[in-house]
Amino acid sequence: MLPWNLVGMALKTGAKLYSDKQKTKEALSEAKLLHAEKMKRGEIEYKGKVFENQKGDWKDEFILLTLSSPLFLLAYSVFAEDKEIEAKLDLYFEKLQNMPWWITGLWVSVVAAVYGIKATDIINTKGGKK
């Protein structure tokens, strides 16, 4: 009779787990609906869908690599003692320094937008932490 007791206990446990899983799905569905209603009323910001749309997006990594590439080249030129790359990097940073302010501002704005930093957040906190 012992095996039948174990089978019965296993069935009860399985039924309880299935029931809990269904309750969890229902609770998550209700939470998503409530969240969407709050976004619609403007009580909370509309961030969730933006985050979902950016999953698997490579633009953040592209910008990070683009901004990091001069640093990698600089490190290479120092450790490899490559004077040619060092001269080119000096020229690069000189030209970067002489760029019009609006191009630099535009680039910073684009990078900030990619990483989800709003200009109003930066202005409101005066660049500091909240």
Side-chain angles (χ1 to χ4, degrees):
M1 288 273 204
L2 184 62
W4 293 111
N5 289 340
L6 290 176
V7 170
M9 201 165 47
L11 286 174
K12 285 180 186 177
T13 303
K16 175 71 172 137
L17 289 174
Y18 180 77
S19 172
D20 289 348
K21 188 175 182 179
Q22 293 305 317
K23 287 178 185 176
T24 302
K25 282 183 182 179
E26 186 178 328
L28 285 173
S29 176
E30 289 175 9
K32 284 182 182 180
L33 181 61
L34 180 62
H35 188 76
E37 288 173 356
K38 285 183 178 182
M39 284 190 302
K40 183 179 176 182
R41 290 190 302 262
E43 294 174 11
I44 55 176
E45 282 192 53
Y46 186 72
K47 290 183 180 176
K49 285 293 178 189
V50 172
F51 179 73
E52 284 178 20
N53 291 338
Q54 290 179 343
K55 282 184 182 175
D57 194 1
W58 285 89
K59 68 182 173 203
D60 297 350
E61 288 77 8
F62 174 76
I63 289 177
L64 181 63
L65 288 173
T66 301
L67 292 175
S68 300
S69 60
L71 299 175
F72 295 137
L73 289 172
L74 182 62
Y76 171 77
S77 72
V78 169
F79 291 112
E81 297 178 4
D82 191 339
K83 297 295 181 189
E84 186 178 328
I85 290 180
E86 190 175 336
K88 288 181 179 180
L89 279 169
D90 288 340
L91 179 63
Y92 170 80
F93 285 113
E94 180 183 322
K95 290 188 181 268
L96 186 65
Q97 184 70 29
N98 294 328
M99 288 181 73
W101 64 269
W102 58 271
I103 291 177
T104 307
L106 183 61
W107 180 249
V108 169
S109 299
V110 167
V111 171
V114 165
Y115 288 106
I117 302 168
K118 292 186 282 183
T120 54
D121 289 345
I122 295 170
I123 292 168
N124 289 339
T125 61
K126 295 184 176 68
K129 293 183 179 180
K130 288 183 178 180

